[in-house]
PDB file of all heavy atoms in Angstrom:
ATOM      1  N   PHE I1344     156.302  71.803  36.957  1.00 98.00           N
ATOM      2  CA  PHE I1344     155.059  71.703  36.205  1.00 98.00           C
ATOM      3  C   PHE I1344     154.258  73.103  36.111  1.00 98.00           C
ATOM      4  O   PHE I1344     154.528  74.049  36.744  1.00 98.00           O
ATOM      5  CB  PHE I1344     154.148  70.651  36.872  1.00 98.00           C
ATOM      6  CG  PHE I1344     153.565  71.071  38.105  1.00 98.00           C
ATOM      7  CD1 PHE I1344     152.356  71.801  38.175  1.00 98.00           C
ATOM      8  CD2 PHE I1344     154.049  70.676  39.357  1.00 98.00           C
ATOM      9  CE1 PHE I1344     151.685  72.224  39.323  1.00 98.00           C
ATOM     10  CE2 PHE I1344     153.522  70.961  40.544  1.00 98.00           C
ATOM     11  CZ  PHE I1344     152.268  71.890  40.544  1.00 98.00           C
ATOM     12  N   TYR I1363     144.952  66.463  41.567  1.00 98.00           N
ATOM     13  CA  TYR I1363     145.932  65.509  41.221  1.00 98.00           C
ATOM     14  C   TYR I1363     146.550  64.816  42.476  1.00 98.00           C
ATOM     15  O   TYR I1363     147.077  65.332  43.349  1.00 98.00           O
ATOM     16  CB  TYR I1363     147.171  66.233  40.472  1.00 98.00           C
ATOM     17  CG  TYR I1363     148.274  65.403  40.028  1.00 98.00           C
ATOM     18  CD1 TYR I1363     148.693  65.306  38.665  1.00 98.00           C
ATOM     19  CD2 TYR I1363     149.168  64.827  40.888  1.00 98.00           C
ATOM     20  CE1 TYR I1363     149.839  64.727  38.182  1.00 98.00           C
ATOM     21  CE2 TYR I1363     150.296  64.114  40.477  1.00 98.00           C
ATOM     22  CZ  TYR I1363     150.687  64.051  39.114  1.00 98.00           C
ATOM     23  OH  TYR I1363     151.864  63.353  38.791  1.00 98.00           O
ATOM     24  N   GLN I1368     149.666  61.081  48.769  1.00 97.00           N
ATOM     25  CA  GLN I1368     149.365  62.469  49.025  1.00 97.00           C
ATOM     26  C   GLN I1368     148.107  62.848  48.121  1.00 97.00           C
ATOM     27  O   GLN I1368     148.142  62.841  46.946  1.00 97.00           O
ATOM     28  CB  GLN I1368     150.522  63.341  48.736  1.00 97.00           C
ATOM     29  CG  GLN I1368     150.247  64.861  48.854  1.00 97.00           C
ATOM     30  CD  GLN I1368     149.485  65.233  50.207  1.00 97.00           C
ATOM     31  OE1 GLN I1368     148.345  65.462  50.286  1.00 97.00           O
ATOM     32  NE2 GLN I1368     150.367  65.304  51.169  1.00 97.00           N
ATOM     33  N   ASP I1369     146.914  63.094  48.799  1.00 97.00           N
ATOM     34  CA  ASP I1369     145.685  63.371  48.036  1.00 97.00           C
ATOM     35  C   ASP I1369     145.676  64.803  47.510  1.00 97.00           C
ATOM     36  O   ASP I1369     145.069  64.985  46.442  1.00 97.00           O
ATOM     37  CB  ASP I1369     144.392  63.106  48.918  1.00 97.00           C
ATOM     38  CG  ASP I1369     144.556  63.965  50.225  1.00 97.00           C
ATOM     39  OD1 ASP I1369     145.347  64.628  50.490  1.00 97.00           O
ATOM     40  OD2 ASP I1369     143.446  63.659  50.892  1.00 97.00           O
ATOM     41  N   ASN I1370     146.426  65.611  47.987  1.00 98.00           N
ATOM     42  CA  ASN I1370     146.662  67.040  47.503  1.00 98.00           C
ATOM     43  C   ASN I1370     147.934  67.180  46.953  1.00 98.00           C
ATOM     44  O   ASN I1370     148.618  68.139  47.271  1.00 98.00           O
ATOM     45  CB  ASN I1370     146.260  68.243  48.556  1.00 98.00           C
ATOM     46  CG  ASN I1370     144.780  68.069  48.949  1.00 98.00           C
ATOM     47  OD1 ASN I1370     143.905  67.496  48.173  1.00 98.00           O
ATOM     48  ND2 ASN I1370     144.464  68.514  50.140  1.00 98.00           N
ATOM     49  N   GLU I1371     148.297  66.339  46.004  1.00 98.00           N
ATOM     50  CA  GLU I1371     149.682  66.414  45.413  1.00 98.00           C
ATOM     51  C   GLU I1371     149.827  67.571  44.487  1.00 98.00           C
ATOM     52  O   GLU I1371     150.653  68.323  44.649  1.00 98.00           O
ATOM     53  CB  GLU I1371     150.026  65.104  44.558  1.00 98.00           C
ATOM     54  CG  GLU I1371     151.363  64.946  44.108  1.00 98.00           C
ATOM     55  CD  GLU I1371     152.358  64.582  45.170  1.00 98.00           C
ATOM     56  OE1 GLU I1371     152.298  64.942  46.363  1.00 98.00           O
ATOM     57  OE2 GLU I1371     153.354  63.933  44.697  1.00 98.00           O
ATOM     58  N   ILE I1372     148.813  67.883  43.725  1.00 98.00           N
ATOM     59  CA  ILE I1372     148.638  69.122  42.982  1.00 98.00           C
ATOM     60  C   ILE I1372     147.059  69.433  43.057  1.00 98.00           C
ATOM     61  O   ILE I1372     146.210  68.515  42.810  1.00 98.00           O
ATOM     62  CB  ILE I1372     148.910  69.098  41.538  1.00 98.00           C
ATOM     63  CG1 ILE I1372     150.412  68.637  41.349  1.00 98.00           C
ATOM     64  CG2 ILE I1372     148.760  70.401  40.801  1.00 98.00           C
ATOM     65  CD1 ILE I1372     150.905  68.360  39.871  1.00 98.00           C
ATOM     66  N   LEU I1373     146.745  70.722  43.580  1.00 98.00           N
ATOM     67  CA  LEU I1373     145.326  71.032  43.684  1.00 98.00           C
ATOM     68  C   LEU I1373     145.091  72.474  43.434  1.00 98.00           C
ATOM     69  O   LEU I1373     145.916  73.285  44.016  1.00 98.00           O
ATOM     70  CB  LEU I1373     144.801  70.642  45.029  1.00 98.00           C
ATOM     71  CG  LEU I1373     143.261  71.119  45.299  1.00 98.00           C
ATOM     72  CD1 LEU I1373     142.371  70.361  44.463  1.00 98.00           C
ATOM     73  CD2 LEU I1373     143.008  70.774  46.855  1.00 98.00           C
ATOM     74  N   LEU I1374     144.282  72.831  42.444  1.00 98.00           N
ATOM     75  CA  LEU I1374     143.781  74.203  42.279  1.00 98.00           C
ATOM     76  C   LEU I1374     142.447  74.366  42.906  1.00 98.00           C
ATOM     77  O   LEU I1374     141.476  73.568  42.476  1.00 98.00           O
ATOM     78  CB  LEU I1374     143.806  74.437  40.782  1.00 98.00           C
ATOM     79  CG  LEU I1374     144.935  75.122  40.116  1.00 98.00           C
ATOM     80  CD1 LEU I1374     144.768  75.317  38.634  1.00 98.00           C
ATOM     81  CD2 LEU I1374     145.362  76.392  40.708  1.00 98.00           C
ATOM     82  N   PHE I1375     142.306  75.095  43.924  1.00 98.00           N
ATOM     83  CA  PHE I1375     141.036  75.152  44.684  1.00 98.00           C
ATOM     84  C   PHE I1375     140.682  76.580  44.844  1.00 98.00           C
ATOM     85  O   PHE I1375     141.438  77.449  45.139  1.00 98.00           O
ATOM     86  CB  PHE I1375     141.284  74.517  46.166  1.00 98.00           C
ATOM     87  CG  PHE I1375     140.153  74.227  46.942  1.00 98.00           C
ATOM     88  CD1 PHE I1375     139.321  73.128  46.572  1.00 98.00           C
ATOM     89  CD2 PHE I1375     139.689  74.971  47.892  1.00 98.00           C
ATOM     90  CE1 PHE I1375     138.110  72.934  47.353  1.00 98.00           C
ATOM     91  CE2 PHE I1375     138.612  74.767  48.669  1.00 98.00           C
ATOM     92  CZ  PHE I1375     137.775  73.721  48.408  1.00 98.00           C
ATOM     93  N   ARG I1383     143.546  78.830  46.068  1.00 98.00           N
ATOM     94  CA  ARG I1383     144.550  78.041  46.700  1.00 98.00           C
ATOM     95  C   ARG I1383     145.286  77.154  45.809  1.00 98.00           C
ATOM     96  O   ARG I1383     144.637  76.400  44.940  1.00 98.00           O
ATOM     97  CB  ARG I1383     143.961  77.350  47.860  1.00 98.00           C
ATOM     98  CG  ARG I1383     143.799  78.051  49.102  1.00 98.00           C
ATOM     99  CD  ARG I1383     143.328  77.134  50.246  1.00 98.00           C
ATOM    100  NE  ARG I1383     142.672  78.002  51.222  1.00 98.00           N
ATOM    101  CZ  ARG I1383     142.084  77.446  52.278  1.00 98.00           C
ATOM    102  NH1 ARG I1383     141.704  76.126  52.283  1.00 98.00           N
ATOM    103  NH2 ARG I1383     141.496  78.225  53.129  1.00 98.00           N
ATOM    104  N   PHE I1384     146.628  77.176  45.814  1.00 98.00           N
ATOM    105  CA  PHE I1384     147.434  76.287  44.904  1.00 98.00           C
ATOM    106  C   PHE I1384     148.264  75.342  45.823  1.00 98.00           C
ATOM    107  O   PHE I1384     149.080  75.814  46.652  1.00 98.00           O
ATOM    108  CB  PHE I1384     148.393  77.215  44.180  1.00 98.00           C
ATOM    109  CG  PHE I1384     149.345  76.522  43.239  1.00 98.00           C
ATOM    110  CD1 PHE I1384     149.164  75.194  42.709  1.00 98.00           C
ATOM    111  CD2 PHE I1384     150.614  77.091  42.987  1.00 98.00           C
ATOM    112  CE1 PHE I1384     150.056  74.640  41.868  1.00 98.00           C
ATOM    113  CE2 PHE I1384     151.462  76.491  42.105  1.00 98.00           C
ATOM    114  CZ  PHE I1384     151.221  75.190  41.478  1.00 98.00           C
ATOM    115  N   TYR I1385     147.921  74.044  45.800  1.00 98.00           N
ATOM    116  CA  TYR I1385     148.508  73.015  46.692  1.00 98.00           C
ATOM    117  C   TYR I1385     149.679  72.347  45.817  1.00 98.00           C
ATOM    118  O   TYR I1385     149.472  71.985  44.713  1.00 98.00           O
ATOM    119  CB  TYR I1385     147.543  71.956  47.112  1.00 98.00           C
ATOM    120  CG  TYR I1385     146.587  72.394  48.081  1.00 98.00           C
ATOM    121  CD1 TYR I1385     145.577  73.096  47.831  1.00 98.00           C
ATOM    122  CD2 TYR I1385     146.694  71.832  49.400  1.00 98.00           C
ATOM    123  CE1 TYR I1385     144.562  73.461  48.783  1.00 98.00           C
ATOM    124  CE2 TYR I1385     145.714  72.141  50.365  1.00 98.00           C
ATOM    125  CZ  TYR I1385     144.611  73.108  50.042  1.00 98.00           C
ATOM    126  OH  TYR I1385     143.753  73.397  50.974  1.00 98.00           O
ATOM    127  N   VAL I1386     150.741  71.958  46.475  1.00 98.00           N
ATOM    128  CA  VAL I1386     151.749  71.110  46.055  1.00 98.00           C
ATOM    129  C   VAL I1386     152.139  70.257  47.212  1.00 98.00           C
ATOM    130  O   VAL I1386     152.646  70.779  48.198  1.00 98.00           O
ATOM    131  CB  VAL I1386     153.010  71.896  45.393  1.00 98.00           C
ATOM    132  CG1 VAL I1386     154.041  70.760  45.128  1.00 98.00           C
ATOM    133  CG2 VAL I1386     152.689  72.687  44.209  1.00 98.00           C
ATOM    134  N   GLY I1387     151.971  68.914  47.040  1.00 98.00           N
ATOM    135  CA  GLY I1387     152.416  67.946  48.187  1.00 98.00           C
ATOM    136  C   GLY I1387     151.682  68.274  49.451  1.00 98.00           C
ATOM    137  O   GLY I1387     152.415  68.006  50.550  1.00 98.00           O
ATOM    138  N   GLY I1388     150.535  68.734  49.411  1.00 98.00           N
ATOM    139  CA  GLY I1388     149.718  68.799  50.584  1.00 98.00           C
ATOM    140  C   GLY I1388     149.805  70.220  51.378  1.00 98.00           C
ATOM    141  O   GLY I1388     148.997  70.415  52.161  1.00 98.00           O
ATOM    142  N   LYS I1389     150.763  70.917  50.873  1.00 98.00           N
ATOM    143  CA  LYS I1389     150.866  72.369  51.443  1.00 98.00           C
ATOM    144  C   LYS I1389     150.484  73.307  50.355  1.00 98.00           C
ATOM    145  O   LYS I1389     150.380  73.130  49.188  1.00 98.00           O
ATOM    146  CB  LYS I1389     152.328  72.693  51.730  1.00 98.00           C
ATOM    147  CG  LYS I1389     153.069  71.695  52.604  1.00 98.00           C
ATOM    148  CD  LYS I1389     153.181  72.321  54.009  1.00 98.00           C
ATOM    149  CE  LYS I1389     153.692  71.291  55.036  1.00 98.00           C
ATOM    150  NZ  LYS I1389     154.907  70.530  54.668  1.00 98.00           N
ATOM    151  N   PHE I1390     149.939  74.560  50.767  1.00 98.00           N
ATOM    152  CA  PHE I1390     149.270  75.516  49.869  1.00 98.00           C
ATOM    153  C   PHE I1390     149.791  76.893  50.104  1.00 98.00           C
ATOM    154  O   PHE I1390     150.149  77.227  51.118  1.00 98.00           O
ATOM    155  CB  PHE I1390     147.762  75.305  49.859  1.00 98.00           C
ATOM    156  CG  PHE I1390     147.077  75.930  51.062  1.00 98.00           C
ATOM    157  CD1 PHE I1390     146.738  77.249  51.104  1.00 98.00           C
ATOM    158  CD2 PHE I1390     146.786  75.052  52.109  1.00 98.00           C
ATOM    159  CE1 PHE I1390     146.051  77.716  52.342  1.00 98.00           C
ATOM    160  CE2 PHE I1390     146.111  75.619  53.264  1.00 98.00           C
ATOM    161  CZ  PHE I1390     145.755  76.929  53.260  1.00 98.00           C
ATOM    162  N   VAL I1391     149.645  77.523  48.976  1.00 98.00           N
ATOM    163  CA  VAL I1391     149.809  79.103  49.219  1.00 98.00           C
ATOM    164  C   VAL I1391     148.540  79.743  48.519  1.00 98.00           C
ATOM    165  O   VAL I1391     147.795  79.077  47.725  1.00 98.00           O
ATOM    166  CB  VAL I1391     151.044  79.824  48.391  1.00 98.00           C
ATOM    167  CG1 VAL I1391     152.196  79.322  49.173  1.00 98.00           C
ATOM    168  CG2 VAL I1391     151.085  79.253  46.979  1.00 98.00           C
ATOM    169  N   THR I1392     148.059  80.934  49.029  1.00 98.00           N
ATOM    170  CA  THR I1392     146.985  81.649  48.750  1.00 98.00           C
ATOM    171  C   THR I1392     147.218  82.720  47.739  1.00 98.00           C
ATOM    172  O   THR I1392     148.251  83.527  48.032  1.00 98.00           O
ATOM    173  CB  THR I1392     146.206  82.106  49.961  1.00 98.00           C
ATOM    174  OG1 THR I1392     145.805  80.951  50.834  1.00 98.00           O
ATOM    175  CG2 THR I1392     144.911  82.822  49.605  1.00 98.00           C
ATOM    176  N   PHE I1393     146.507  82.829  46.733  1.00 98.00           N
ATOM    177  CA  PHE I1393     146.642  84.046  45.788  1.00 98.00           C
ATOM    178  C   PHE I1393     145.336  84.751  45.911  1.00 98.00           C
ATOM    179  O   PHE I1393     144.238  84.152  45.562  1.00 98.00           O
ATOM    180  CB  PHE I1393     146.935  83.625  44.355  1.00 98.00           C
ATOM    181  CG  PHE I1393     148.260  83.078  44.267  1.00 98.00           C
ATOM    182  CD1 PHE I1393     148.568  81.532  44.458  1.00 98.00           C
ATOM    183  CD2 PHE I1393     149.484  83.786  44.104  1.00 98.00           C
ATOM    184  CE1 PHE I1393     149.882  81.024  44.286  1.00 98.00           C
ATOM    185  CE2 PHE I1393     150.720  83.241  44.057  1.00 98.00           C
ATOM    186  CZ  PHE I1393     150.942  81.828  44.103  1.00 98.00           C
ATOM    187  N   TRP I1409     155.026  75.707  39.246  1.00 98.00           N
ATOM    188  CA  TRP I1409     155.906  75.411  40.417  1.00 98.00           C
ATOM    189  C   TRP I1409     157.214  74.762  39.983  1.00 98.00           C
ATOM    190  O   TRP I1409     157.309  73.916  39.075  1.00 98.00           O
ATOM    191  CB  TRP I1409     155.160  74.470  41.347  1.00 98.00           C
ATOM    192  CG  TRP I1409     155.961  73.907  42.580  1.00 98.00           C
ATOM    193  CD1 TRP I1409     156.216  74.569  43.728  1.00 98.00           C
ATOM    194  CD2 TRP I1409     156.696  72.670  42.562  1.00 98.00           C
ATOM    195  NE1 TRP I1409     157.049  73.731  44.425  1.00 98.00           N
ATOM    196  CE2 TRP I1409     157.204  72.614  43.829  1.00 98.00           C
ATOM    197  CE3 TRP I1409     156.777  71.549  41.702  1.00 98.00           C
ATOM    198  CZ2 TRP I1409     158.009  71.522  44.239  1.00 98.00           C
ATOM    199  CZ3 TRP I1409     157.455  70.477  42.098  1.00 98.00           C
ATOM    200  CH2 TRP I1409     158.038  70.468  43.386  1.00 98.00           C
ATOM    201  N   GLY I1414     161.554  76.359  44.750  1.00 98.00           N
ATOM    202  CA  GLY I1414     160.225  76.375  45.502  1.00 98.00           C
ATOM    203  C   GLY I1414     159.447  77.611  45.100  1.00 98.00           C
ATOM    204  O   GLY I1414     158.531  77.965  45.779  1.00 98.00           O
ATOM    205  N   ALA I1416     156.322  79.296  43.470  1.00 98.00           N
ATOM    206  CA  ALA I1416     155.073  79.095  42.887  1.00 98.00           C
ATOM    207  C   ALA I1416     154.555  80.394  42.216  1.00 98.00           C
ATOM    208  O   ALA I1416     154.678  81.492  42.793  1.00 98.00           O
ATOM    209  CB  ALA I1416     154.032  78.739  43.914  1.00 98.00           C
ATOM    210  N   GLY I1429     156.544  81.289  47.794  1.00 98.00           N
ATOM    211  CA  GLY I1429     157.376  80.034  48.037  1.00 98.00           C
ATOM    212  C   GLY I1429     156.638  78.874  48.469  1.00 98.00           C
ATOM    213  O   GLY I1429     155.656  78.963  49.358  1.00 98.00           O
ATOM    214  N   LEU I1430     156.942  77.744  47.978  1.00 98.00           N
ATOM    215  CA  LEU I1430     156.024  76.498  48.205  1.00 98.00           C
ATOM    216  C   LEU I1430     157.018  75.266  47.991  1.00 98.00           C
ATOM    217  O   LEU I1430     157.327  75.035  46.904  1.00 98.00           O
ATOM    218  CB  LEU I1430     154.864  76.528  47.298  1.00 98.00           C
ATOM    219  CG  LEU I1430     153.905  75.250  47.563  1.00 98.00           C
ATOM    220  CD1 LEU I1430     153.294  75.309  48.932  1.00 98.00           C
ATOM    221  CD2 LEU I1430     152.754  75.464  46.466  1.00 98.00           C
ATOM    222  N   GLN I1431     157.131  74.341  48.952  1.00 98.00           N
ATOM    223  CA  GLN I1431     157.631  72.952  48.886  1.00 98.00           C
ATOM    224  C   GLN I1431     158.978  72.935  48.209  1.00 98.00           C
ATOM    225  O   GLN I1431     159.123  72.066  47.168  1.00 98.00           O
ATOM    226  CB  GLN I1431     156.575  72.133  48.274  1.00 98.00           C
ATOM    227  CG  GLN I1431     155.374  71.884  49.015  1.00 98.00           C
ATOM    228  CD  GLN I1431     155.673  70.803  50.213  1.00 98.00           C
ATOM    229  OE1 GLN I1431     156.549  71.083  50.960  1.00 98.00           O
ATOM    230  NE2 GLN I1431     154.921  69.796  50.270  1.00 98.00           N
ATOM    231  N   LYS I1432     159.923  73.752  48.424  1.00 98.00           N
ATOM    232  CA  LYS I1432     161.322  73.754  47.864  1.00 98.00           C
ATOM    233  C   LYS I1432     161.990  72.198  48.039  1.00 98.00           C
ATOM    234  O   LYS I1432     161.883  71.758  49.134  1.00 98.00           O
ATOM    235  CB  LYS I1432     162.256  74.682  48.509  1.00 98.00           C
ATOM    236  CG  LYS I1432     163.510  74.837  47.822  1.00 98.00           C
ATOM    237  CD  LYS I1432     164.392  76.023  48.412  1.00 98.00           C
ATOM    238  CE  LYS I1432     165.759  75.904  47.774  1.00 98.00           C
ATOM    239  NZ  LYS I1432     166.559  77.146  48.280  1.00 98.00           N
ATOM    240  N   TYR I1434     160.837  69.569  46.838  1.00 98.00           N
ATOM    241  CA  TYR I1434     159.722  68.424  46.806  1.00 98.00           C
ATOM    242  C   TYR I1434     159.691  67.753  45.421  1.00 98.00           C
ATOM    243  O   TYR I1434     160.208  68.372  44.462  1.00 98.00           O
ATOM    244  CB  TYR I1434     158.430  69.012  47.075  1.00 98.00           C
ATOM    245  CG  TYR I1434     157.227  67.927  47.280  1.00 98.00           C
ATOM    246  CD1 TYR I1434     157.210  67.275  48.491  1.00 98.00           C
ATOM    247  CD2 TYR I1434     156.456  67.735  46.389  1.00 98.00           C
ATOM    248  CE1 TYR I1434     156.110  66.314  48.700  1.00 98.00           C
ATOM    249  CE2 TYR I1434     155.294  66.860  46.482  1.00 98.00           C
ATOM    250  CZ  TYR I1434     155.285  66.145  47.563  1.00 98.00           C
ATOM    251  OH  TYR I1434     154.243  65.239  47.806  1.00 98.00           O
ATOM    252  N   VAL I1436     156.923  65.780  42.878  1.00 98.00           N
ATOM    253  CA  VAL I1436     155.501  65.229  42.681  1.00 98.00           C
ATOM    254  C   VAL I1436     155.614  63.852  42.157  1.00 98.00           C
ATOM    255  O   VAL I1436     156.068  63.570  41.034  1.00 98.00           O
ATOM    256  CB  VAL I1436     154.796  66.272  41.753  1.00 98.00           C
ATOM    257  CG1 VAL I1436     153.481  65.720  41.416  1.00 98.00           C
ATOM    258  CG2 VAL I1436     154.778  67.760  42.480  1.00 98.00           C
TER     259      VAL I1436
END
Side-chain angles (χ1 to χ4, degrees):
F1344 70 83
Y1363 176 119
Q1368 176 51 258
D1369 54 1
N1370 294 335
E1371 189 77 327
I1372 302 172
L1373 176 64
L1374 271 179
F1375 191 78
R1383 276 187 199 163
F1384 176 32
Y1385 287 75
V1386 176
K1389 304 259 171 48
F1390 71 87
V1391 286
T1392 298
F1393 292 94
W1409 171 81
L1430 181 63
Q1431 291 285 57
K1432 184 175 177 179
Y1434 187 77
V1436 170

